[in-house]
Each structure stands twice: as C-alpha cells, then as structure tokens.
Amino acid sequence: MNHIFTAMDISIRKQRETDCACDALILPFVENERERYADLHPSLAALIGRVFGREFRAQKNESLLVPAPPEIKPQRIFFIGLGKKGDLSPERVRQAGGKSGTSLREVRMNDIALSTTLLRAHGLSEADFLEGLLLGTYRFRKYASEKKTSEIARCTVLAQPSTDLRTKVNWIRTLSSSVHFARDLVNTPANDMTPSDLARAACSLRTSRLRVTILDEKDAKGLGMGSYLSVARGSDQPPRFIILEYRGSKGKPIVLIGKSVTFDSGGISLKPADGMEKMKYDMAGGAAVLGVMRAISLAQLPVHVIGILPATENLPGGSASRPGDVVRSLNGKTIEIISTDAEGRMTIADAIAFALRYKPRAIIDIATLTGACAIAFGHCAIAMMGNRRELLDAVKRAGEQTQETVWEMPLAEDCAEYLKSDVADLKNTGGKSGALLTSAYFLSQFVGDTPWVHLDIAGTAWAERERPYIPKGASGIGVRLLATLVRDFAR
Ligand code: BES
Ligand code: MN
Ligand code: ZN
C-alpha cells in the first residue's frame, strides 16, 4: 500500500533569527507583548512596531505573513498568535503550530524556520509546536488525480542542539507519522480497506521485534470465536483476526484491542442510507492500534505490547446473521443477537476472551462503538469505562497530556437487566436507552478480573470540520493517547 507521509526535514540549529535565510521565519507572539524580539535587528523591531496592535494582535491562532525588511536574511515574517499570557499551554502551542503549517503550505513556503525565543521565555516547548505543525499538514491525496501539491520541505528550529531536544523531536516525528499512517488507513474507502488490506497494513510493520500473525476464518472457527464470526457471515470478504506482538521487554503484556469493522452497513438491521458512506471509519480503533504499534516499535520502547484487530465487514449478504440468532463466544457465553448493527461488541468480546490467554497486565480496547457516544460527546471527548482506578487514571492523564481528552462514564451494574435474554446468557443490545453504558457493560462480561479500560471513539475518530491540527476526515485519535500511555508505563 502506498502511504503518503509528509516527509518534512527538521533540523535544529543555533542561529540568530535575522541571520537565517528561509522563505518564512515564524515568530510566535503573546498578546500585549511586542518587545520580545526588539533587540534582534532595528529593522525587524520597526516592522513589529508597525504591525503589532494593528494588523496583528497575537490572539490565539491569529496569523499574518509579511515581507521581511531587506536588511535581514529571512524573506518573510510569519506572525503567529498564542493568545493571552494566562492561557498559555502545550495545546495552545500545538494549535499555533498547526495553524502555521497549514497557512504557510497554502502560500507555498518551502523552507521555513521557527524562532524559539518567546516559547523558551514562557517555558513552552518547540516540540509541541512541531507536533502541531506535523499533524496539521496531513492531507489525504491517494485518490486525487492532481498529485502535485506544495509541501513544506524543510523546517529549521532555531535553538541550541541538545540530546534532550533531539530525543523529543524524534518522538514527535515518530508519533505524528504514525498518526498519519492511521489516518490514511481510516480515510481509505472500504473497497480498498478490506480485512485483508488491513492485515497487509499490519504485516508492513513487521520487524525482528514485532511479530504479526493473521488468523483466517478457519482458524477462528477452530478456536471457537462464534461471536466474532457471526459478524463476518454476511460479507464475501473473508475476516482476518490480526495479532501483533511487540517484545521490547519481558514480563506480562499490555493488550490493545481495536475495533476493525472495515465497513458497517448494520447488516440485516440495516442502517439508514443517509451518511452510511462514513461507516468506512468503523475500523478507526484498529487503525489507532496499528499506529501505536508502529510508534512504539520505531521508538524501540522497552515495553511488551500486543495489538489485536478482529477485522471483518458487516454486510447483509445471504448468509448474514439474523436478529434472534444465538451464537457462542470464545469464552463459552451464548449471545442472542437482537441487532446485527451492534456488531462491534461481538467482535471485541471474542478478542477480549482471546487476549486473556496472554495473562495481560491490562487490556485496553478502543472502538467506534456507539452512536450514543457521538451524540453525547461529539468530537470533544472519548468516553471511557473500566474496572481499575489506577488504569483509568493513567489513561486520563495521557488524555490530558495529548489533549485526546477522555471522560469517564460509569460501568454500571444496573445495566445487567438491559442485557438479560430469555434464550441466551446475554443479549447483544439493551436498546437505545443507556446505549453507551450498556455497550461497555456487555464487554465487561468478557474481561473477568483483568484490569481493563474501554474507549469509545465514535465521536472523535472522524472530524466533520477542520481544526488547527486535525484536518477534515480521519483524526487518527488514539495513537497519541495510547502511545503516550504505553511510554509512561515503561518509565
Ligand atoms: N459503528 C456503529 C456506531 C457508530 C455510529 C459509530 C455512528 C460512529 C458513528 C455501531 O456498530 C453501531 O451501529 N451501534 C449501534 C448500537 C445499537 C444497535 C445498540 C448504535 O449506536 O446505533
Ligand atoms: Mn453497527
Ligand atoms: Zn459498527
């Protein structure tokens, strides 16, 4: 497969801003602080004096590109606002980076430079700025006939090179290229992103430390994954149960499970036609897990992580499962299918049962599981439910660091009655009311005592509107969150 990464070349160099020859020099500003660059060169100070407070007030994500005075080396100056001093944060800086990248690319600036003077003075990090810049310049061009578009080729960070800064920048590059990788998988339409295509994408990550195993339908049947396979029956595309194992350390693994329904038509419980084309993003959880595996393997983190993608399509073919059918899951529990559109939990239930064989120290599943999640949280937060305080808190902290915000919802014992079946151990849905909570409760019936967290990304995995460093379409959510979580686990 042909992944399109923005291969921006980033270098770190100690140089005076006014001596740096480039197409555009990025100068970050805070509101009401005009004097920050005053001692660099009188002609630059004069320029700042002319525009600051008039054309440019340094409000958050406000920008202005102007020709530089001929006395200094940069061709142009790009003013970017960070907003009020009291509101400064890593997220402000990431957004400013995202805004800078998209604006400068639009006007075909190839060679840019970033001043770190103001960021340093305020205790902010240039790595956060670069992260926003790299994340924001993603575009999905695979199906565009017109391939020639401008890209920023080079970015020079004007700072004293140090091992610490280089390490940070390398991590940011690994992370953002892995987000791009995940976004590509999710944006690719379902005809080119079948379970087999997803398996091939997983295999492309193989290294001596990262083992990839693909189970086919026969293997899954032999193991007894009746719940997972009930979803695959309606499609001519064969299912692929994908397992990745990264061994960067000994000890019990962390298992990451990603929902990987490559297209969700709803099955016999067919979805309305309006907006159905978006259901190609129902494998965004799986894409996030692949992105995390890619990042930790490139960074060679000392962790033991297993990724599982129970990939299948959900279509209403002649052999499709019917509402009312009863199937047996890998852990022996029988499930009455009430809605074939509640297919995600059918696939994840078996993946969880399978994961328990590794005796993991934790299981985290990430899934576009419920429309109810999208309605409750929109793009603002990931819904989180789980059974262990320490794990829930660790995920929450990773969410705060990455601004992939998670919000905890209760894993409510009261949900049990919604899922009581007259004929089987469980129904696969309790209906519309409480759908976000009952979906998690359903999954909890397969985890036993193992520390576990469920993340519902139905609202966050797809961006309806562009934001400073998230373009329209696949957001790649979960990659930065879980890679950060895993990295912090290793510390
Ligand atoms: N993939 C959908 C959930 C979804 C909906 C994700 C909208 C993103 C946007 C999931 O498989 C589904 O159809 N869930 C049903 C469950 C219901 C039948 C209990 C839902 O939320 O309607
Ligand atoms: Mn569904
Ligand atoms: Zn689905």
Side-chain angles (χ1 to χ4, degrees), residues 259 261 264-267 269 271 279 282 314 339-344 368-369:
K259 176 174 172 181
V261 175
D264 180 14
S265 72
S269 314
K271 285 185 181 296
M279 277 301 120
D282 218 13
N314 186 23
S339 170
T340 63
D341 198 11
E343 84 297 340
T368 47
L369 206 62

Short mmCIF file of all heavy atoms in Angstrom, two decimals, residues 259 261 264-267 269 271 279 282 314 339-344 368-369, ligand 2:
data_model
loop_
_atom_site.label_atom_id
_atom_site.label_comp_id
_atom_site.label_asym_id
_atom_site.label_seq_id
_atom_site.Cartn_x
_atom_site.Cartn_y
_atom_site.Cartn_z
N LYS A 259 -11.33 -1.96 17.45
CA LYS A 259 -12.46 -2.36 16.60
C LYS A 259 -12.08 -2.17 15.14
O LYS A 259 -11.65 -1.09 14.75
CB LYS A 259 -13.73 -1.56 16.94
CG LYS A 259 -14.91 -1.89 16.01
CD LYS A 259 -16.22 -1.21 16.42
CE LYS A 259 -17.30 -1.41 15.36
NZ LYS A 259 -18.57 -0.74 15.70
N VAL A 261 -14.07 -3.03 12.10
CA VAL A 261 -15.14 -3.32 11.14
C VAL A 261 -14.88 -2.42 9.93
O VAL A 261 -15.05 -1.20 10.01
CB VAL A 261 -16.53 -3.09 11.77
CG1 VAL A 261 -17.64 -3.29 10.73
CG2 VAL A 261 -16.73 -4.05 12.95
N ASP A 264 -19.42 -0.86 8.10
CA ASP A 264 -20.58 -1.25 8.92
C ASP A 264 -21.87 -0.77 8.26
O ASP A 264 -22.25 0.39 8.41
CB ASP A 264 -20.44 -0.65 10.33
CG ASP A 264 -21.61 -1.04 11.23
OD1 ASP A 264 -22.38 -1.97 10.85
OD2 ASP A 264 -21.75 -0.43 12.31
N SER A 265 -22.50 -1.68 7.54
CA SER A 265 -23.80 -1.35 6.92
C SER A 265 -24.93 -1.54 7.92
O SER A 265 -26.06 -1.15 7.67
CB SER A 265 -24.04 -2.26 5.72
OG SER A 265 -24.34 -3.57 6.18
N GLY A 266 -24.60 -2.17 9.05
CA GLY A 266 -25.62 -2.54 10.02
C GLY A 266 -26.03 -4.01 9.87
O GLY A 266 -26.64 -4.58 10.76
N GLY A 267 -25.70 -4.60 8.71
CA GLY A 267 -26.13 -5.98 8.46
C GLY A 267 -27.63 -6.02 8.19
O GLY A 267 -28.18 -5.05 7.65
N SER A 269 -29.99 -5.66 10.21
CA SER A 269 -30.53 -4.46 10.89
C SER A 269 -29.93 -3.24 10.21
O SER A 269 -29.20 -2.44 10.81
CB SER A 269 -30.17 -4.47 12.37
OG SER A 269 -30.40 -5.73 12.96
N LYS A 271 -28.58 0.00 8.36
CA LYS A 271 -28.56 1.42 8.73
C LYS A 271 -29.29 2.25 7.67
O LYS A 271 -29.38 1.83 6.53
CB LYS A 271 -27.10 1.91 8.80
CG LYS A 271 -26.32 1.45 10.01
CD LYS A 271 -24.95 2.08 10.03
CE LYS A 271 -24.13 1.62 11.22
NZ LYS A 271 -24.71 2.02 12.52
N MET A 279 -19.38 5.03 7.30
CA MET A 279 -19.10 3.84 8.12
C MET A 279 -17.84 3.08 7.68
O MET A 279 -17.54 2.02 8.22
CB MET A 279 -20.33 2.93 8.18
CG MET A 279 -21.31 3.39 9.24
SD MET A 279 -20.55 3.42 10.89
CE MET A 279 -20.71 5.13 11.33
N ASP A 282 -15.35 2.74 10.66
CA ASP A 282 -15.63 1.85 11.78
C ASP A 282 -14.44 0.93 12.13
O ASP A 282 -14.56 0.07 12.99
CB ASP A 282 -16.88 1.01 11.46
CG ASP A 282 -17.76 0.78 12.69
OD1 ASP A 282 -17.55 1.47 13.70
OD2 ASP A 282 -18.64 -0.09 12.63
N ASN A 314 -19.30 -5.78 7.96
CA ASN A 314 -20.66 -6.09 8.42
C ASN A 314 -21.65 -5.78 7.30
O ASN A 314 -22.08 -4.65 7.14
CB ASN A 314 -20.98 -5.27 9.68
CG ASN A 314 -22.33 -5.65 10.29
OD1 ASN A 314 -22.83 -6.76 10.07
ND2 ASN A 314 -22.92 -4.74 11.05
N SER A 339 -29.73 -6.92 17.58
CA SER A 339 -29.46 -6.07 16.41
C SER A 339 -28.14 -6.50 15.79
O SER A 339 -27.12 -6.58 16.48
CB SER A 339 -29.37 -4.61 16.84
OG SER A 339 -28.89 -3.83 15.76
N THR A 340 -28.16 -6.77 14.48
CA THR A 340 -26.89 -7.09 13.81
C THR A 340 -26.05 -5.82 13.66
O THR A 340 -24.90 -5.89 13.22
CB THR A 340 -27.13 -7.70 12.41
OG1 THR A 340 -27.80 -6.74 11.59
CG2 THR A 340 -27.97 -8.97 12.52
N ASP A 341 -26.62 -4.67 14.01
CA ASP A 341 -25.87 -3.41 13.96
C ASP A 341 -25.06 -3.19 15.24
O ASP A 341 -24.24 -2.28 15.31
CB ASP A 341 -26.84 -2.25 13.72
CG ASP A 341 -26.12 -1.01 13.22
OD1 ASP A 341 -24.93 -1.12 12.86
OD2 ASP A 341 -26.75 0.06 13.19
N ALA A 342 -25.29 -4.02 16.25
CA ALA A 342 -24.43 -3.95 17.45
C ALA A 342 -23.33 -5.00 17.27
O ALA A 342 -23.18 -5.92 18.06
CB ALA A 342 -25.26 -4.19 18.71
N GLU A 343 -22.58 -4.83 16.17
CA GLU A 343 -21.61 -5.86 15.76
C GLU A 343 -20.24 -5.67 16.41
O GLU A 343 -19.51 -6.63 16.59
CB GLU A 343 -21.48 -5.87 14.24
CG GLU A 343 -20.51 -4.85 13.62
CD GLU A 343 -20.90 -3.39 13.86
OE1 GLU A 343 -22.09 -3.13 14.15
OE2 GLU A 343 -20.02 -2.53 13.77
N GLY A 344 -19.92 -4.40 16.75
CA GLY A 344 -18.58 -4.12 17.27
C GLY A 344 -18.30 -4.93 18.53
O GLY A 344 -17.26 -5.58 18.66
N THR A 368 -15.08 2.53 17.74
CA THR A 368 -16.19 3.40 17.34
C THR A 368 -17.47 2.61 17.63
O THR A 368 -18.10 2.07 16.75
CB THR A 368 -16.11 3.71 15.83
OG1 THR A 368 -15.85 2.48 15.12
CG2 THR A 368 -15.01 4.69 15.52
N LEU A 369 -17.80 2.52 18.92
CA LEU A 369 -18.79 1.51 19.32
C LEU A 369 -20.24 1.96 19.26
O LEU A 369 -21.10 1.17 18.88
CB LEU A 369 -18.45 0.97 20.72
CG LEU A 369 -18.97 -0.44 20.98
CD1 LEU A 369 -18.36 -1.45 20.02
CD2 LEU A 369 -18.71 -0.89 22.41
MN MN B 2 -23.12 -1.20 13.82
#
